[in-house]
Amino acid sequence: MVNLTLLTNMNKIFFYSISAALAGFLFGFDTVVISGADKQLQALWGTSDAFHGSVVMAMALWGTVVGAIFGGIPTNKFGRKNTLIAIGILYFVSALGSSLVNDPYTFAFFRFLGGLGVGASTITAPAYVSEIAPANKRGKLVALYQFNIVLGILIAFLSNYLLRNTGEEPWRWMVGVEAIPAFLYILFVIGIPKSPRWLVSKGRMAEAKRILERINPGLDVSAKVQEIKTQSDTEVTGENIFMKKYRFPIILAFLIAFFNQLSGINAFLYYAPRIFEAAGLGESTALLSSIGIGVVNLLFTLLGVFLIDKLGRKQLLLFGSIGYIISLSLVAAAFFLNWGGLWVPIFLFLFIASHAIGQGAVIWVFISEIFPNRLRASGQAFGSSTHWVLAAIIPSSIPYLFSTIGAGWVFAFFAFMMVLQLFFVIFMMPETKGKSLEELAEELSIKEISTTT
């Protein structure tokens, strides 16, 4: 009976987690679907490389920056669940709107709306899942968000390939089809409960107890609510994440987000077909290679999700850093030495595998764990904002950099930055697996004290 109760409990938590994490599917789909429309849109509107890169292609990323900066506000004020519903509506409107427009400026506006949803989802979805998950399963459940991101990426690459010859303007179908999963996501997320930790932070103890009993039968609900309340009470009203006592988690969130983008991952995902064509592959082969990237990404993300609560966050990021350095160095060498054929796709498959098992599996889990309850959404917003500011700047510059200094130097720079990430992982990054959010809040505050005495 006990085992059956535990199984039923975990099934509920898994369902709620996967429902919230479907925001990641839309994130991945929205981020990558534009790659199939890339050259079509530039040819249709006759825009320059600079305008095409910074406005048409990157406007969703600038929306993501805004969503990441301000997404913590509705997440805290209106709650995780209500914010997730709003995110689904943004995705739906963006997909329909961008598929129906006839000029680059209106297209950019609707892509911006989708970007708002992406940015806010990187705060709200991991925060929600981390707050309903048991400590020993938290890494795996929060990593479902990343799994959904890469599943969305794979489906977007596949969708682009299948729709490449649909109608006179295939790009409209490519970007518009996202409205279907967006609508389904809204239906799923309406059925999830509110976060009990958010309810406690708002003084709604009775409601928090009811939800804890619903998702965790057999738990001493009163004791757990008191533990959450005690930890929240140590966070003085009016505190913010930039106070000296929170310096260490702020530095950790900044550096993991900084290195995530300085690997070149978003630049690569946005321009995968262009990069493969630059390496000498034909257009159709480039699209197929992009699907291969999606498959590798999905498989190694699954491996990362399986290992994250076994090996821990630090170990996975160590493996990923080494893989980054090897793969990016080989990609740079392939461009410098004009290696033809399938060498560049093979090396980039290694790159995406390294990302999936390392940064991909770890980043959203880690940032969701290192801030105390009352400041979690604000901390998530800071880490996500760092991530997305760089994710907007770097892909925007790729067409210009490729046409000026060349792809080899770009990938060589990314390889060097991953050497620096390796030092960060070895000498600075703490392990967070298997600890409650309240324990981590206390330990990281102790860490801050120890670094300043």
Side-chain angles (χ1 to χ4, degrees):
M1 180 64 69
V2 173
N3 289 337
L4 182 60
T5 301
L6 288 174
L7 181 61
T8 302
N9 174 39
M10 280 309 301
N11 285 341
K12 284 182 182 178
I13 294 175
F14 180 81
F15 176 76
Y16 300 146
S17 298
I18 199 71
S19 295
L22 284 172
F25 178 91
L26 295 168
F27 163 178
F29 194 99
D30 191 83
T31 299
V32 167
V33 73
I34 192 67
S35 68
D38 173 18
K39 289 196 168 184
Q40 294 180 52
L41 293 175
Q42 188 170 14
L44 175 66
W45 291 320
T47 53
S48 66
D49 282 347
F51 181 89
H52 179 69
S54 61
V55 177
V56 176
M57 292 294 287
M59 190 54 67
L61 286 173
W62 290 115
T64 302
V65 171
V66 176
I69 291 172
F70 297 106
I73 297 174
T75 301
N76 272 334
K77 184 174 178 62
F78 303 111
R80 284 59 163 143
K81 176 180 176 176
N82 291 334
T83 305
L84 287 171
I85 293 171
I87 287 167
I89 294 170
L90 284 171
Y91 281 128
F92 183 79
V93 173
S94 171
L96 282 184
S98 58
S99 69
L100 297 173
V101 301
N102 294 304
D103 67 273
Y105 299 99
T106 313
F107 179 85
F109 169 75
F110 280 108
R111 288 288 296 164
F112 181 85
L113 292 183
L116 291 177
V118 171
S121 78
T122 59
I123 299 165
T124 315
Y128 176 84
V129 178
S130 72
E131 290 177 353
I132 67 167
N136 65 332
K137 302 290 185 183
R138 189 177 59 243
K140 184 178 296 184
L141 290 174
V142 178
L144 287 173
Y145 179 72
Q146 178 65 21
F147 169 78
N148 273 281
I149 292 173
V150 300
L151 180 61
I153 289 170
L154 172 60
I155 297 301
F157 279 137
L158 181 61
S159 174
N160 284 347
Y161 181 76
L162 294 176
L163 296 173
R164 69 192 186 282
N165 296 318
T166 305
E168 295 182 359
E169 295 179 308
W171 67 268
R172 295 188 186 276
W173 293 93
M174 290 179 179
V175 299
V177 73
E178 185 184 351
I180 298 172
F183 179 74
L184 294 175
Y185 164 72
I186 294 169
L187 297 181
F188 272 103
V189 84
I190 285 172
I192 66 175
K194 294 177 181 177
S195 162
R197 283 182 166 90
W198 176 77
L199 290 169
V200 170
S201 74
K202 298 299 180 182
R204 295 158 65 174
M205 305 302 176
E207 194 175 350
K209 287 181 180 180
R210 286 198 300 272
I211 290 175
L212 280 171
E213 288 171 350
R214 173 179 163 190
I215 66 175
N216 216 333
L219 178 73
D220 186 342
V221 170
S222 296
K224 187 61 182 178
V225 168
Q226 185 57 46
E227 179 190 5
I228 297 169
K229 184 177 183 300
T230 299
Q231 197 276 317
S232 295
D233 287 345
T234 65
E235 304 158 25
V236 180
T237 301
E239 282 190 335
N240 63 76
I241 58 171
F242 298 106
M243 297 176 69
K244 186 177 181 181
K245 64 189 290 187
Y246 300 119
R247 180 187 301 164
F248 188 61
I250 276 288
I251 292 172
L252 292 175
F254 173 82
L255 287 178
I256 196 168
F258 174 84
F259 286 123
N260 183 285
Q261 285 306 299
L262 267 295
S263 69
I265 182 62
N266 266 52
F268 170 59
L269 292 176
Y270 258 60
Y271 294 102
R274 185 184 292 242
I275 291 170
F276 288 139
E277 287 186 49
L281 301 183
E283 182 177 356
S284 182
T285 307
L287 283 171
L288 280 173
S289 296
S290 299
I291 295 173
I293 288 293
V295 172
V296 172
N297 201 1
L298 182 68
L299 292 176
F300 279 86
T301 296
L302 279 171
L303 182 60
V305 170
F306 175 74
L307 294 175
I308 194 167
D309 284 320
K310 297 180 183 295
L311 299 182
R313 291 60 159 152
K314 184 167 184 168
Q315 195 72 21
L316 289 187
L317 204 52
L318 181 66
F319 292 154
S321 299
I322 294 170
Y324 272 144
I325 294 166
I326 295 171
S327 59
L328 288 167
S329 298
L330 288 171
V331 173
F335 277 104
F336 283 133
L337 302 175
N338 295 317
W339 294 345
L342 295 175
W343 284 113
V344 169
I346 289 170
F347 298 152
L348 286 172
F349 286 176
L350 176 59
F351 164 74
I352 207 73
S354 303
H355 173 81
I357 202 170
Q359 272 275 10
V362 170
I363 179 172
W364 305 119
V365 175
F366 187 73
I367 295 176
S368 74
E369 294 174 322
I370 59 178
F371 292 97
N373 290 329
R374 193 185 299 273
L375 298 175
R376 181 163 298 111
S378 299
Q380 287 274 135
F382 173 79
S384 296
S385 299
T386 302
H387 174 280
W388 288 114
V389 166
L390 292 169
I393 293 171
I394 295 171
S396 298
S397 64
I398 288 298
Y400 175 77
L401 290 174
F402 274 22
S403 64
T404 53
I405 66 172
W409 286 110
V410 173
F411 283 105
F413 171 75
F414 291 148
F416 171 73
M417 295 308 299
M418 292 303 93
V419 174
L420 300 184
Q421 176 179 271
L422 182 61
F423 290 135
F424 159 70
V425 174
I426 293 172
F427 296 110
M428 191 172 184
M429 182 181 177
E431 183 54 73
T432 59
K433 72 168 183 174
K435 300 174 183 176
S436 74
L437 297 177
E438 288 70 35
E439 287 175 323
L440 286 170
E442 183 178 352
E443 287 183 16
L444 290 177
S445 65
I446 292 172
K447 177 73 174 179
E448 169 61 24
I449 291 170
S450 69
T451 59
T452 57
T453 56

